[in-house]
């Protein structure tokens, strides 16, 4: 009989393992079904290891330890923190904006106790959750009223369903964009029950094109910010204030989907000027919508600001109830907006802190890492991401690790605890300090050393 057969035969049965006292303790802590699953997985993987002629400890203690480790794996939550080494600040696949310390604390406080979400403490009567963000959003944007829904996609669907159902919505051919993940403006229009009327051409649309398209069936002129691509050269779009004036003169609505939307000018940071929420409100459009977790740097949300009358119609629509956000979102959003109100957003909101980070500080961090892990420090570019500011990049310095199999190193880093997500370029694994939170430095270095 060969050695493999003997080793396979020496493996205990499921029942024999179950009978072991340490396993009995595990059953008391977890459950019999879960422990059984872990035992089967352990015996399976051990059998595979024997068949591959790997040296494997088959002692009772070693098997019990492996059952425990399988149990931990089975119980590990699937949503876990990761280290973002990509340099993409608003990384949609990695959860977009990281919340400020104050927003994190607000979420925690809202989760720990009851609160006045829909309760008016002055009158002792039922209140509205909509009042909470309204005041801050009015002050910050200059709009008459505001409404918060689940995300910007649902904000658009609500706007179209409530204000343009079975009517025509006029939009420039240059703005029939796909935002990502198959989310396309024409599909949203259909979903909202509106009829799409395209005007102009891919590169040029004039005010007259909009004016000619308006008729008795028209409900709305829509501008969608082409947030994730850039048109250069012979291009033209009418200024937003002229579009708003035309809409008012013709008794239809003007709506601006800003996509990211920002309260702070991006230009002083060496980026293109991203259209600002205050600018759209000042241009006189009826409604402006934008995301909570892109350049605003807060929780996932769709924020709508604009004229009181138009917002009131949205609030009355049944979809507003279906798309409403919960107390945790309000808590995070209010704390984030408070940073803007206090004029401290660039220091406090992580998205802005990352954008504003001086290159010298970033390079110093990359160099400090390199002294511990080896590798070089190279100039590179970080991106704002989240479908905002296409073609606009921030100069950065990255830790660059040359490796025979960069894909394998990067896969190994993704399997770490916590996982590290890196970029690969020219046979090197790149890690950009801009998006690695300062408190993650120790974890990152441990992950790199163990992977190398
Ligand atoms: C990102 C984006 C959206 C979708 O926003 P979500 O908050 O992700 O739903 C809609 N319109 C534009 C122009 C965008 O850039």
């Amino acid at each position: 009989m060969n050695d493999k057969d003997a080793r396979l035969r020496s493996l205990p049965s499921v029942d024999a393992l179950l009978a072991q006292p340490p396993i009995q303790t595990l059953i008391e802590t977890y459950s019999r079904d879960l422990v059984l699953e872990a035992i089967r997985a352990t015996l399976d993987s051990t059998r595979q290891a024997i068949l591959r002629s790997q040296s494997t400890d088959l002692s009772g203690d070693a098997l019990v330890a492996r059952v425990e480790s399988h149990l931990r794996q089975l119980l590990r939550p699937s949503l876990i923190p990761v280290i973002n080494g990509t340099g993409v600040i608003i990384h949609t696949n990695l959860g977009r904006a990281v919340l400020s310390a104050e927003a994190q604390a607000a979420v925690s406080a809202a989760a720990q106790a009851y609160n006045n979400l829909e309760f008016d403490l002055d009158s002792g009567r039922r209140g509205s959750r909509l009042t909470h963000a309204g005041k801050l959003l009015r002050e910050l944007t200059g709009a008459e009223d505001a409404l918060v829904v689940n995300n910007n996609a649902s904000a658009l669907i609500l706007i179209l369903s409530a204000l343009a159902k079975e009517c025509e919505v006029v939009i420039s051919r240059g703005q029939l964009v796909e935002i990502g993940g198959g989310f396309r403006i024409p599909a949203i229009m259909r979903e909202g029950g509106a009829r799409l009327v395209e005007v102009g051409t891919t590169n040029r649309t004039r005010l007259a094109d909009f004016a000619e398209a308006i008729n008795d069936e028209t409900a709305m002129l829509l501008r969608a910010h082409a947030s994730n691509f850039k048109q250069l050269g012979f291009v033209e779009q009418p200024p937003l204030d002229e579009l708003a004036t035309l809409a008012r003169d013709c008794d239809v609505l003007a709506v601006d989907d800003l996509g990211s939307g920002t309260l702070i000018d991006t230009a002083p940071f060496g980026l293109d000027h991203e259209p600002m929420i205050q600018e759209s409100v000042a241009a006189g459009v009826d409604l402006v919508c934008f995301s909570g977790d892109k350049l605003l740097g807060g929780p996932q949300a769709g924020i709508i600001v604009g004229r009181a009358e138009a917002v009131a119609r949205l609030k009355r629509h049944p979809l507003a109830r279906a798309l409403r956000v919960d107390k945790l979102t309000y808590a995070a959003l209010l704390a984030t907006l408070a940073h803007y109100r206090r004029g401290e957003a660039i220091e406090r909101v992580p998205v802005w802190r990352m954008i504003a980070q001086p290159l010298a500080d970033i390079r110093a961090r990359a160099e400090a890492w390199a002294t511990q892990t080896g590798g070089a420090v190279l100039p590179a570019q970080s991106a704002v991401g989240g479908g905002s500011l296409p073609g606009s990049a921030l100069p950065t310095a990255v830790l660059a690790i040359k490796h025979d199999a960069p894909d394998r190193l990067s896969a190994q880093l993704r399997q770490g605890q916590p996982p590290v997500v890196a970029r690969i370029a020219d046979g090197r694994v790149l890690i950009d300090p801009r998006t690695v939170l300062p408190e993650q430095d120790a974890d990152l270095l441990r992950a790199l050393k163990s992977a190398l």
Side-chain angles (χ1 to χ4, degrees), residues 96 151-153 179 183 225 227 257-260 291 293-294 301 387:
R96 288 198 185 157
N151 56 13
N152 194 30
I179 289 127
F183 178 90
H225 178 42
S227 49
D257 170 18
L258 273 182
S260 180
S291 295
D293 55 352
K294 290 184 181 173

Side-chain angles (χ1 to χ4, degrees), residues 185-337:
I185 293 286
I188 291 284
M189 294 262 198
R190 265 197 309 281
E191 223 40 59
R195 286 201 303 279
L196 173 73
V197 177
E198 308 170 23
V199 296
T201 59
T202 305
N203 57 332
R204 294 183 74 124
T205 304
R206 296 183 196 78
L207 196 64
D209 297 322
F210 281 95
E212 278 164 29
I214 296 174
N215 61 48
D216 291 348
E217 305 277 292
T218 309
M220 187 183 294
L221 311 184
L222 177 65
R223 179 178 89 152
H225 178 42
S227 49
N228 52 9
F229 70 102
K230 194 168 173 174
Q231 282 191 326
L232 296 172
F234 193 52
V235 295
E236 179 181 351
Q237 286 290 339
L240 194 59
D241 56 345
E242 290 181 19
L243 202 67
T245 305
L246 174 67
R248 205 166 326 120
D249 291 347
C250 298
D251 207 16
V252 299
L253 296 167
V255 173
D256 189 20
D257 170 18
L258 273 182
S260 180
T262 176
L263 289 166
I264 293 177
D265 188 2
T266 47
F269 301 96
L271 298 164
D272 287 346
H273 173 74
E274 176 78 8
M276 295 170 69
I277 302 155
Q278 308 91 309
E279 291 168 350
S280 294
V281 171
V285 296
D286 296 277
L287 295 170
V288 184
C289 62
F290 52 96
S291 295
D293 55 352
K294 290 184 181 173
L295 279 171
L296 198 73
Q300 179 190 301
I303 301 170
I304 306 169
V305 301
R307 288 192 199 285
E309 194 197 331
V311 175
R313 284 171 68 192
L314 298 180
K315 287 180 178 174
R316 284 197 300 270
H317 194 275
L319 265 182
R321 169 65 175 76
L323 299 174
R324 76 179 187 188
V325 298
D326 82 328
K327 60 190 175 189
L328 302 181
T329 301
Y330 275 115
L333 181 62
L334 292 170
T336 304
L337 293 173

Side-chain angles (χ1 to χ4, degrees), residues 12-24:
S13 67
V14 172
D15 286 337
L17 259 179
L18 260 182
Q20 298 230 357
I23 296 283
Q24 287 299 313

